[in-house]
Amino acid sequence: MTRLKLALRLLRRDWRAGELNVLTAALVIAVAAVSAIGLFSDRMERALSGQTAELVGADLRLASPQPVAAEWLVAARDRNLRVAETLRFPSVVVHGEGLQLASVEAVGAGYPLRGELRTAKVLYGPETVAPGPPAVGIAWVEPRIMQALSIVPGAVIEIGVASFRVERLLTYQPGRGGSFFTLAPRVLIALGDVPRTEVIQPGSRVVYEYQFAGNANALAAYRQWLTPQLAPNHRLQGIGDGDSGAGRALKRANRYLGLTSLLAVILAGVAVAMATRRYGERHYDTAALLRCFGVSQGGVLGLLVPQFLLLGLIAGAIGCLLGWLTQAGIAQLLTGLLPATLPSPGPMPILFAFAAGLLLLAGFALPPLLRLKSIAPLRVLRRDMVPLSPPVLMVYGAGLLAITVLTLRFTGDWLITVSVLAGAGVAALALGLLALALLNVVRRLRSGVGVAWRYGFNNLWRRGRGSLTQLLAFGLALMAMAVIALLRSDLLASWQTELPPDTPNHFAFNILPADVGPLKDYFAARAIPSSGLYPMVRGRLTHINDKPVTRPVTKDDDADESLRRELNLSWSATLPPDNRLTAGPWWDAASGGGVSVETQLAERLGINLADRLTFSIGGQPLTATVASLREVQWDSFHPNFYMIFPPGALDDYPATWLTSFFLAPQQKPLLNDIVRNFPAVTVLEVDQVLGQLRAILQQVGAAVELVLLFVLAAGFVVLFAALASSLDQRIYEGALLRSLGASRRQLRSAQLAEFLLLGLLAGLLAAIGTEIIAYLLYTQAFELEYRFKWQVWLAAPLLGALLIGLAGVIGTRSVLQRSPSGILREL
Amino acid sequence: MVSAAGLCKQVVTSEGMLDILSDVTLEIKAGESVAIVGVSGSGKSTLLGLLAGLDTPSRGSVTLAGQRLELLDEDGRAAVRAGRVGFVFQAFQLLAGMTAQENVMLPLELAGVTDAGARARELLDRVGLGDRVGHYPRQLSGGEQQRVAIARAFAGGPEILFADEPTGNLDSATGARIIEILFELNRERRTTLILVTHDEALAPRCDRRIQLDGGRIVNVARVSS
């Protein structure tokens, strides 16, 4: 107890003497960064998952051609998941003499689980949120049905043998985002009304869809339980499963947040390591004196460990508080941008950050402390005696273990963790060798500068290992900052290009050949940007290499059954802008015919180049050889096709045209005008889906911007810790030089020269590292296109020189301020 | 109190084995004051380190407070020193982050003394620094720092005090004042004093003078006070 009290007293004295400033700052920043990023990304992830869930309509969807076993739903409810059932089937909607093929969706209680249904009283009129699904006997229809059947709200339509009163226009339905590009217009009715229609008969093509929402853990557990029981014709879709823009953005943002936390932790680890090393070196005398006073080796540890433990606890608590306040501040700052009901943060990020702080401290501080334990008491007589370095494995092993545990926590995957760490190890080694080579070059270049500058340059080489450590630390910090900053701008840019401001927000279908020219003119006259008009022929893929296709193939597997066996075929002379060839050439006049197939479909069906595909178009067969495979960006809001033929190949078949176009809010009244001028054309509005996607991208963008600050803060602590690591030696040498007659100006110049050069070299090192690491991250983790980052080669050395030059001169001003005699007397 | 028999210390250098101490045998009784004198490099400080158990001999034995030091490990030797031995160093060895009072308190705190603060103040008063208790080492002159070190050395009530060139870093006037205090306290507290110095003028103040040269004892003389 007495020893513990003494340990605390010693801690207080060290604290007062400023011995613990850097270490505490490093720990506080590490914990604050991990907790703030953890808390914020936890909240954002929950909020974003909620938003994405709205786009999907639920957290998890299960589609099946038959009703699923009742116990599957019981099992979901047992896990406290909310369940909603829907039934989708094609049917003809009748009003008087008018007929329209529609996709009828019967929805049960609780639908929609995520998001809300919105309806309007009149075409293009104001929307209101519907409190729940339609009541029995009521139908809500999409505007296209109104147009096609020329009806107004209040009209009665028939589905099968049942009558429904059309009450409202369905303007927004969550869950259409995933496959909004569905051709048949929808009619929404109550699930209880289905038997009344007598449409569902044995053999009918029906999609039973079950939607689930609830706690993420429960969902994951349910999914794990359900997956092995699924039949091939079941389709399970969760948030982020699809390759949608939102899913991709979310995945990338999560990776970015994880990477940022990891980098902040690694940087803080480096700072903690440097700070404890300095702490250790400055406490050799204390430890030797304690040994002299009769304290055993264990006793020395017994005095030091509680100090560090307490420091870890205090710094951890401050860090957590700071982290919590920061994330709360961020959420406050982004009010309006973030969802109104941002979920509260869970306790896990706080606990983890706290543990991470202690783990970092244990990993990086224990080796220097153990070194203090083994100090020889004889040091009181012979100050040149320093303790033996513990085995390399112990020095680096503990820190490595700490970083491994933290990396594993962020990646959740052993293989990725080992790859990341092995990559980092190789990179550190390569950078170390490079740093050594750079120092060697400096050594050769030192002639030709003034005395003070030459002294500064010489210092770099003379300090050898110290300079190398500093160079690596500075380089690492600058590199981490550069990588995160670059990635941030490129992620933001990629999200901006993903959905540019004039992204088409309307699709127009059923454009008759006679309307193609006038519609083009109409758009041109009103400066309406459109993605061009594409011909479309409906056909069915029947044979691959003369073998019948057994699996139904449509554009969208879970699309309406009426379309299930039909594909939209198109033709084009040029490769559409959102398409990228992955195999085979695009045709030109010389290469002749064939068909270009979308890659995912080709993979699903096992279609390869040169395969013979047979289509049935209006009962007539058409055979074509696969000339190329294309990757298609489906969420570009431009018309896209699984099958594209060369011009002329489909001339014998009846075609309609399709386009997408952008209307600014003030141009919305033009919609009625378009419908009036081109009565055959049906227009689909996708503003809502687009708006939701944009909101998600904006939010992840904001998160990405903000977490950058933590890496910067951690980077600065490393800079400071690295500066502090050589401060004592600099103060001593400065005092000695001044006592030998060097002027303050000469000393300042020498320091400036040394730090400028150190910064310049560190910047160069950072540029090389950034180029390599950014390349790997872009291509392997973020699926971003990588371009040579020439700006880094300019900015990193310049910023490095400026930053480290400035920080160095300010950080070591005590060398110039204190009297040489005072300094020399202390030593 | 302290004895050495056939004490040798060798170190390995680039030119082979170097004898720093050779065959040193001596005995110091409780309450006795002994000056170990010799020129620089004669092995004085090495002998002091061995006698205090701070270092281990290559050959020979050291007995301190009835314990054979060479038979003990580091921690065993530390346990022998604990509460029994005080030190005064040429370089003062004050901890820069602690005030004068805190430096003096340290050995008392290690021994679990409850009124360490009061006793430290009392000792600082005794060495003439009663008004400097809150000062840090860097705010004190060399002489003042050494006075703090002396106060610290006597704080734990040691049976034996090792002083390594206590005036080595001080001017002669300050040095004389420091020696005055050291001997006064030594007399008062009847401490065994082993003083290493190259200052021949200090030797007459001790009971005995042991002269080293080239690592060997070349002369032992009783000094009449």
Side-chain angles (χ1 to χ4, degrees):
Chain A
M1 196 59 205
T2 319
R3 281 290 161 94
L4 190 65
K5 271 189 193 162
L6 178 58
L8 299 186
R9 236 175 274 159
L10 290 175
L11 178 71
R12 203 178 60 229
R13 289 170 195 167
D14 268 348
W15 172 259
R16 198 186 51 205
E19 293 288 334
L20 301 166
N21 290 352
V22 177
L23 179 60
T24 314
L27 276 177
V28 168
I29 294 258
V31 176
V34 174
S35 60
I37 292 173
L39 285 167
F40 187 63
S41 56
D42 183 52
R43 294 182 78 181
M44 282 294 280
E45 203 174 315
R46 289 187 204 196
L48 289 174
S49 299
Q51 294 263 305
T52 317
E54 186 175 333
L55 212 58
V56 177
D59 294 335
L60 192 66
R61 298 206 299 194
L62 171 66
S64 164
Q66 301 93 26
V68 298
E71 56 259 37
W72 288 11
L73 306 184
V74 172
R77 289 192 177 102
D78 283 350
R79 286 179 164 85
N80 285 326
L81 296 177
R82 289 187 293 131
V83 182
E85 294 179 52
T86 73
L87 198 64
R88 208 161 52 231
F89 56 89
S91 183
V92 173
V93 177
V94 183
H95 174 72
E97 297 295 306
L99 302 173
Q100 169 66 40
L101 183 65
S103 167
V104 178
E105 187 154 353
V107 296
Y111 177 90
L113 293 179
R114 298 284 187 201
E116 54 203 16
L117 287 167
R118 280 179 235 151
T119 59
K121 271 219 141 94
V122 292
L123 204 56
Y124 309 126
E127 285 184 315
T128 52
V129 173
V136 172
I138 296 294
W140 294 344
V141 301
E142 282 193 336
R144 281 192 282 156
I145 293 198
M146 291 256 181
Q147 290 171 325
L149 296 177
S150 303
I151 54 173
V152 289
V156 173
I157 55 170
E158 281 160 35
I159 301 172
V161 297
S163 297
F164 293 85
R165 187 166 62 83
V166 176
E167 191 190 54
R168 299 183 75 89
L169 282 152
L170 180 64
T171 53
Y172 175 74
Q173 182 189 8
R176 282 206 88 163
S179 57
F180 63 88
F181 188 36
T182 311
L183 289 177
R186 273 193 194 191
V187 175
L188 207 65
I189 61 168
L191 191 63
D193 273 335
V194 175
R196 210 158 56 83
T197 63
E198 296 179 18
V199 169
I200 310 291
Q201 302 295 335
S204 291
R205 289 206 292 268
V206 182
V207 178
Y208 293 83
E209 190 175 284
Y210 304 87
Q211 307 188 340
F212 308 93
N215 173 281
N217 291 338
L219 274 166
Y222 181 62
R223 199 173 175 165
Q224 203 175 6
W225 174 82
L226 187 62
T227 305
Q229 310 184 57
L230 296 177
N233 56 7
H234 287 135
R235 193 176 150 115
L236 193 65
Q237 191 197 1
I239 304 161
D241 283 1
D243 197 25
S244 67
R248 251 199 330 265
L250 196 59
K251 261 188 221 163
R252 282 180 183 168
N254 272 339
R255 280 193 186 149
Y256 180 87
L257 291 175
L259 179 77
T260 313
S261 309
L262 188 59
L263 274 181
V265 165
I266 290 176
L267 284 180
V270 171
V272 168
M274 296 188 98
T276 40
R277 194 191 151 104
R278 178 167 190 252
Y279 175 91
E281 283 169 1
R282 285 174 69 90
H283 282 71
Y284 285 166
D285 287 341
T286 311
L289 207 59
L290 288 173
R291 303 280 289 124
C292 226
F293 289 157
V295 178
S296 64
Q297 290 189 329
V300 172
L301 265 192
L303 281 173
L304 289 171
V305 170
Q307 291 186 51
F308 272 69
L309 192 65
L310 187 68
L311 185 74
L313 293 175
I314 294 172
I318 296 173
C320 284
L321 185 69
L322 211 62
W324 195 88
L325 286 175
T326 310
Q327 65 80 27
I330 292 169
Q332 190 66 34
L333 257 167
L334 296 182
T335 313
L337 183 62
L338 295 172
T341 51
L342 192 64
S344 300
M348 278 319 282
I350 283 278
L351 289 176
F352 176 71
F354 199 80
L358 289 179
L359 196 63
L360 271 188
L361 192 62
F364 288 103
L366 216 51
L369 289 189
L370 291 176
R371 213 173 164 209
L372 276 183
K373 173 195 89 145
S374 63
I375 199 130
L378 193 60
R379 185 181 158 87
V380 292
L381 297 177
R382 291 181 47 195
R383 296 205 67 209
D384 56 331
M385 288 193 80
V386 289
L388 289 174
S389 291
V392 174
L393 193 68
M394 201 174 105
V395 177
Y396 299 109
L400 193 67
L401 185 72
I403 291 289
T404 308
V405 171
L406 294 174
T407 312
L408 189 62
R409 165 68 167 70
F410 286 124
T411 61
D413 186 317
W414 266 108
L415 194 68
I416 298 175
T417 304
V418 171
S419 316
V420 164
L421 293 178
V426 171
L429 195 70
L431 286 182
L433 290 174
L434 200 65
L436 205 61
L438 285 175
L439 282 178
N440 231 329
V441 170
V442 168
R443 195 186 178 195
R444 286 161 210 276
L445 293 178
R446 68 196 156 172
S447 56
V449 290
V451 179
W453 282 73
R454 191 163 61 241
Y455 179 76
F457 279 23
N458 271 340
N459 268 350
L460 266 188
W461 179 254
R462 202 167 41 80
R463 291 192 216 282
R465 209 173 134 187
S467 291
L468 194 66
T469 312
Q470 281 190 328
L471 194 52
L472 271 176
F474 289 144
L476 182 72
L478 287 174
M479 189 174 80
M481 293 180 187
V483 166
I484 290 298
L486 269 182
L487 203 50
R488 165 204 153 268
S489 358
D490 284 337
L491 274 182
L492 292 181
S494 83
W495 289 333
Q496 267 158 17
T497 53
E498 193 125 31
L499 293 174
D502 59 351
T503 301
N505 53 357
H506 297 83
F507 280 85
F509 310 97
N510 294 335
I511 304 165
L512 300 174
D515 282 340
V516 171
L519 193 62
K520 271 187 190 167
D521 295 342
Y522 184 90
F523 285 160
R526 286 156 188 83
I528 296 170
S530 89
S531 51
L533 278 104
Y534 293 83
M536 193 171 83
V537 171
R538 315 274 289 148
R540 192 157 60 90
L541 177 64
T542 55
H543 294 79
I544 300 171
N545 291 329
D546 302 323
K547 284 187 192 142
V549 177
T550 46
R551 185 176 171 180
V553 183
T554 69
K555 195 198 138 294
D556 203 332
D557 250 4
D558 64 350
D560 298 350
E561 284 295 301
S562 58
L563 308 167
R564 185 154 272 263
R565 288 173 185 273
E566 294 224 305
L567 284 165
N568 297 322
L569 316 177
S570 188
W571 70 81
S572 175
T574 53
L575 185 68
D578 309 320
N579 291 222
R580 195 173 67 84
L581 282 178
T582 55
W586 190 250
W587 41 70
D588 51 33
S591 64
V595 58
S596 177
V597 186
E598 193 267 347
T599 44
Q600 284 182 347
L601 180 77
E603 263 170 45
R604 277 216 306 273
L605 297 177
I607 296 175
N608 296 307
L609 276 184
D611 281 355
R612 277 164 53 79
L613 305 185
T614 307
F615 297 88
S616 167
I617 306 172
Q620 294 173 268
L622 169 74
T623 300
T625 306
V626 178
S628 63
L629 298 177
R630 283 168 299 121
E631 214 168 61
V632 174
Q633 194 191 333
W634 288 110
D635 52 12
S636 66
F637 290 75
H638 293 126
N640 268 306
F641 301 91
Y642 276 100
M643 304 286 174
I644 299 181
F645 290 80
L650 301 176
D651 280 358
D652 296 342
Y653 307 98
T656 58
W657 264 256
L658 162 72
T659 189
S660 64
F661 58 95
F662 172 72
L663 281 184
Q666 68 274 14
Q667 290 176 305
K668 277 284 181 184
L670 283 179
L671 274 180
N672 281 323
D673 196 39
I674 293 172
V675 174
R676 234 185 351 263
N677 280 305
F678 305 95
V681 173
T682 45
V683 175
L684 179 67
E685 287 180 275
V686 290
D687 291 277
Q688 294 293 342
V689 175
L690 198 59
Q692 271 189 323
L693 267 175
R694 280 224 172 87
I696 288 172
L697 295 183
Q698 209 176 353
Q699 282 169 19
V700 292
V704 158
E705 292 265 22
L706 285 158
V707 295
L708 169 72
L709 295 178
F710 287 99
V711 171
L712 294 182
F716 278 115
V717 180
V718 170
L719 294 186
F720 192 64
L723 276 178
S725 70
S726 64
L727 191 61
D728 295 334
Q729 201 189 351
R730 284 175 201 282
I731 287 177
Y732 171 70
E733 286 178 4
L736 210 59
L737 283 172
R738 280 172 67 198
S739 68
L740 292 175
S743 69
R744 278 169 189 252
R745 202 169 145 265
Q746 280 174 318
L747 270 184
R748 200 179 292 125
S749 298
Q751 280 178 3
L752 188 65
E754 190 182 338
F755 284 119
L756 279 180
L757 193 63
L758 202 57
L760 195 74
L761 294 181
L764 201 59
L765 209 60
I768 297 168
T770 302
E771 198 71 52
I772 297 166
I773 289 182
Y775 170 77
L776 292 175
L777 283 175
Y778 276 54
T779 52
Q780 305 299 315
F782 288 92
E783 296 157 16
L784 286 171
E785 195 190 336
Y786 183 78
R787 283 196 204 93
F788 176 66
K789 308 284 177 198
W790 63 268
Q791 303 94 323
V792 176
W793 292 85
L794 207 66
L798 278 180
L799 266 179
L802 194 74
L803 209 68
I804 292 159
L806 203 67
V809 170
I810 293 172
T812 56
R813 66 188 185 283
S814 52
V815 175
L816 301 171
Q817 282 169 348
R818 288 170 55 190
S819 83
S821 62
I823 292 165
L824 293 174
R825 205 175 59 219
E826 272 177 35
L827 295 162
Chain B
M1 189 77 212
V2 187
S3 65
L7 210 54
C8 293
K9 181 71 184 177
Q10 294 173 317
V11 290
V12 183
T13 68
S14 54
E15 286 152 19
M17 202 68 94
L18 180 71
D19 288 323
I20 297 178
L21 276 184
S22 305
D23 198 25
V24 170
T25 300
L26 55 81
E27 191 178 351
I28 298 163
K29 295 197 167 53
E32 194 181 9
S33 60
V34 175
I36 299 172
V37 297
V39 294
S40 284
S42 58
K44 308 184 295 288
S45 294
T46 305
L47 179 60
L48 181 110
L50 290 173
L51 293 178
L54 301 180
D55 198 4
T56 49
S58 306
R59 274 199 312 279
S61 71
V62 177
T63 306
L64 176 66
Q67 304 262 8
R68 287 275 298 275
L69 295 186
E70 77 279 4
L71 302 179
L72 302 172
D73 61 5
E74 276 281 343
D75 281 350
R77 294 197 298 275
V80 174
R81 283 195 297 274
R84 250 188 221 115
V85 175
F87 289 94
V88 177
F89 308 103
Q90 180 176 3
F92 320 138
Q93 297 289 5
L94 297 180
L95 298 179
M98 296 188 191
T99 61
Q101 186 185 9
E102 286 166 351
N103 265 288
V104 179
M105 281 165 69
L106 189 59
L108 294 168
E109 289 172 324
L110 284 169
V113 174
T114 46
D115 59 341
R119 280 173 63 175
R121 267 197 308 277
E122 194 185 304
L123 267 161
L124 282 169
D125 211 23
R126 179 72 189 74
V127 296
L129 291 175
D131 55 342
R132 314 293 294 269
V133 287
H135 287 217
Y136 288 92
R138 66 171 179 277
Q139 297 165 322
L140 301 171
S141 70
E144 286 167 335
Q145 288 190 52
Q146 194 60 302
R147 277 192 272 165
V148 175
I150 290 171
R152 180 179 66 186
F154 282 100
E159 297 164 23
I160 182 161
L161 185 75
F162 290 96
D164 180 37
E165 302 275 16
T167 59
N169 279 0
L170 304 171
D171 61 74
S172 53
T174 312
R177 171 84 184 112
I178 289 298
I179 288 299
E180 218 43 66
I181 294 170
L182 186 66
F183 278 93
E184 251 176 60
L185 279 169
N186 189 48
R187 248 192 328 271
E188 269 174 28
R189 293 167 197 241
R190 311 181 71 77
T191 315
T192 306
L193 173 68
I194 299 173
L195 172 73
V196 162
T197 180
H198 66 276
D199 184 358
E200 286 286 351
L202 285 183
R205 306 197 59 155
C206 297
D207 299 331
R208 206 148 43 114
R209 172 182 175 280
I210 296 173
Q211 188 172 6
L212 283 183
D213 189 27
R216 290 176 184 277
I217 296 179
V218 291
N219 182 268
V220 178
R222 187 150 292 280
V223 182
S224 58
S225 49

